[in-house]
Amino acid sequence: MKNNRQNFIDLIIHLLDLEEQIENTKIHMTSNEYFTLYRAFQIIDEQNTNQITPEAISKLTSKPTQQCILLIEYYSEFKDNKLSFANFMNLCLPRSKPQLRAQLTQKLQKTIGSPEEQELIKEHLSILIANEIYFLQQIKQYPIEIEGLLEYPFKQKDLNQLISDFGYKINTEAIWKRLDFDQNGIVTYEDMKKLFREQEQQIDVNEQDKDQLRNKDIKLGWINNKSCPYHSYTKQFRMSIQNFQEFEKQKSILRQNEWKQIRSFLYLIKEHSQIYQQIDQLLEKLNKYDTLKLFELLSINDRLEFQHLQNKIQEIVGQEFLLDYSDVEQLMNFFGGQSYEEFKCSLECSKIFERKQPINMNVLKMLFIKLILLLQLSRYLKQQYKKKALIQNKDLLNEFGEFSQSNVLLMARKAKVELSLDEVNGFFKGEEVLEVRNVMSFLK
């Protein structure tokens, strides 16, 4: 075990400079005033398929396709060898600059800059992805047995303590943000399994058993006599103790999983309070236009129909921003239904304008693109939450009792998650209590 931990520490030290270089490339690239996430996505997705393939990455970086698959497998939650826009955001956004991350998710594509500027962004993108691939190759080259490496879940202070035990003094901030894939302050066994390939144990079990028997014969003597009643009794006693310890261990793991689910859910609330705030600001701008005229623009036969809505939104945002089925489905859910009354309710926000302006199609294009990107971000966060927390029923919500603002704040305090009253109020949209069915609907 000590050798395995030593190998783990050595690998971290080996990769530390590379991780810092990757983070600096992200910051430098995304700080460019002409950089936007969608424009960077389009640089790789030249065919406008709304997804990135290994072949497209290979063309950008001149890396073999098999190496590019390694990158996609790490960032994609699906085994389809494709990166979605949400996955690409996770690849590009700096982990150490939350304010810059927030700015980039709100930034719209207003101007693409000069060809020289775009070429510079493309070059940074190529360097970033090439370094990411090299990072993952290094981990693949030096496999680590993660079982028993640390007590899961662990925090950054636990990692620092392990490194300190081996006599090293290094800043783990950059590598910690890599290990903490979902940025929730703890690293679980699943987080580690995502990054490190487990080492295959090659142990001759029969030889090990023989060695144990030889040791028992020497040390235990007469107790190994199977006809001795004391032997059978002590064997049963030891077995019952083992079962009890296993039960306690399983109970402890189960409780840890429950708190893991609660923490994940609280972080999801925190993220969505910011998304809802941005959507509310966006709705304020949409409310400058006559709601009925907007509905007439998007509807057919006084109803919002899926196919017609897809065609109209695609026409508004242009062919450079291709919609997929999930985007339109989320828009339909966002608008609340098919009737004008449901559409009108969905556009309600904190600020209402009495005087309405004529619809400006250029502004409307920007607003719809931003709305779609925010809904994509929401969908991605929920997918990550479900993957990490494995929630498929109401058991989690039962932990909260009544799903109220005060109970959520209380749980956040117990789980040691920083969640402010404003953030909780933003998620609850001003309501004091949410019905369980509404919360379950939100998680879908």
Side-chain angles (χ1 to χ4, degrees), residues 56-65 67-68 126 130:
I57 296 174
S58 179
K59 184 178 178 182
L60 176 73
T61 60
S62 301
K63 296 277 186 185
T65 307
Q67 292 182 13
C68 301
S126 175

Side-chain angles (χ1 to χ4, degrees), residues 185-271:
I186 58 171
V187 172
T188 63
Y189 181 77
E190 291 301 319
D191 289 330
M192 292 288 281
K193 204 160 73 171
K194 185 172 181 63
L195 189 57
F196 293 99
R197 189 160 59 91
E198 289 194 75
Q199 208 169 33
E200 293 182 0
Q201 296 182 355
Q202 296 179 340
I203 301 172
D204 188 340
V205 178
N206 291 332
E207 198 59 34
Q208 189 182 40
D209 287 344
K210 287 176 184 177
D211 189 57
Q212 285 178 354
L213 283 172
R214 280 195 294 270
N215 290 336
K216 281 181 181 178
D217 287 337
I218 295 168
K219 293 174 184 176
L220 297 178
W222 62 272
I223 289 182
N224 278 309
N225 180 1
K226 299 292 185 277
S227 61
C228 175
Y230 178 78
H231 173 81
S232 58
Y233 173 77
T234 51
K235 184 178 178 182
Q236 290 173 8
F237 180 73
R238 286 198 304 271
M239 185 68 74
S240 66
I241 290 291
Q242 286 172 1
N243 290 341
F244 176 75
Q245 289 172 341
E246 185 62 27
F247 170 74
E248 287 297 312
K249 182 181 175 183
Q250 291 301 322
K251 193 168 72 170
S252 173
I253 290 171
L254 185 63
R255 194 58 189 158
Q256 283 178 12
N257 286 338
E258 286 174 355
W259 277 105
K260 171 188 168 184
Q261 293 166 3
I262 289 168
R263 284 191 192 94
S264 297
F265 188 40
L266 292 169
Y267 278 110
L268 191 69
I269 290 175
K270 188 180 183 73
E271 294 277 5

Side-chain angles (χ1 to χ4, degrees), residues 75-122:
Y75 278 101
S76 175
E77 63 272 23
F78 304 112
K79 302 296 180 185
D80 57 358
N81 279 344
K82 291 169 187 172
L83 276 184
S84 66
F85 178 68
N87 302 144
F88 180 75
M89 287 169 64
N90 203 16
L91 165 65
C92 288
L93 290 172
R95 293 186 176 96
S96 61
K97 301 285 183 182
Q99 191 172 358
L100 182 57
R101 288 171 68 94
Q103 289 170 357
L104 288 165
T105 54
Q106 297 175 43
K107 192 175 180 182
L108 293 177
Q109 183 67 56
K110 294 182 180 177
T111 175
I112 61 173
S114 64
E116 291 79 12
E117 288 283 354
Q118 289 304 303
E119 195 59 37
L120 182 63
I121 291 171
K122 186 175 181 179

Side-chain angles (χ1 to χ4, degrees), residues 104-214:
L104 288 165
T105 54
Q106 297 175 43
K107 192 175 180 182
L108 293 177
Q109 183 67 56
K110 294 182 180 177
T111 175
I112 61 173
S114 64
E116 291 79 12
E117 288 283 354
Q118 289 304 303
E119 195 59 37
L120 182 63
I121 291 171
K122 186 175 181 179
E123 186 180 334
H124 277 124
L125 203 53
S126 175
I127 293 169
L128 169 65
I129 291 176
N131 282 339
E132 278 279 349
I133 290 172
Y134 180 69
F135 184 97
L136 295 170
Q137 279 182 305
Q138 292 297 298
I139 288 177
K140 189 176 181 181
Q141 189 177 343
Y142 302 103
I144 299 293
E145 185 187 339
I146 60 172
E147 184 72 47
L149 184 66
L150 279 159
E151 188 175 341
Y152 298 103
F154 63 89
K155 298 182 179 180
Q156 188 175 1
K157 65 178 183 180
D158 302 318
L159 177 64
N160 290 337
Q161 184 59 54
L162 177 62
I163 292 170
S164 177
D165 289 344
F166 280 88
Y168 296 105
K169 290 184 179 179
I170 59 173
N171 185 351
T172 60
E173 193 64 33
I175 205 76
W176 172 257
K177 291 185 182 299
R178 166 78 67 166
L179 295 176
D180 184 13
F181 190 79
D182 51 2
Q183 305 297 297
N184 65 352
I186 58 171
V187 172
T188 63
Y189 181 77
E190 291 301 319
D191 289 330
M192 292 288 281
K193 204 160 73 171
K194 185 172 181 63
L195 189 57
F196 293 99
R197 189 160 59 91
E198 289 194 75
Q199 208 169 33
E200 293 182 0
Q201 296 182 355
Q202 296 179 340
I203 301 172
D204 188 340
V205 178
N206 291 332
E207 198 59 34
Q208 189 182 40
D209 287 344
K210 287 176 184 177
D211 189 57
Q212 285 178 354
L213 283 172
R214 280 195 294 270

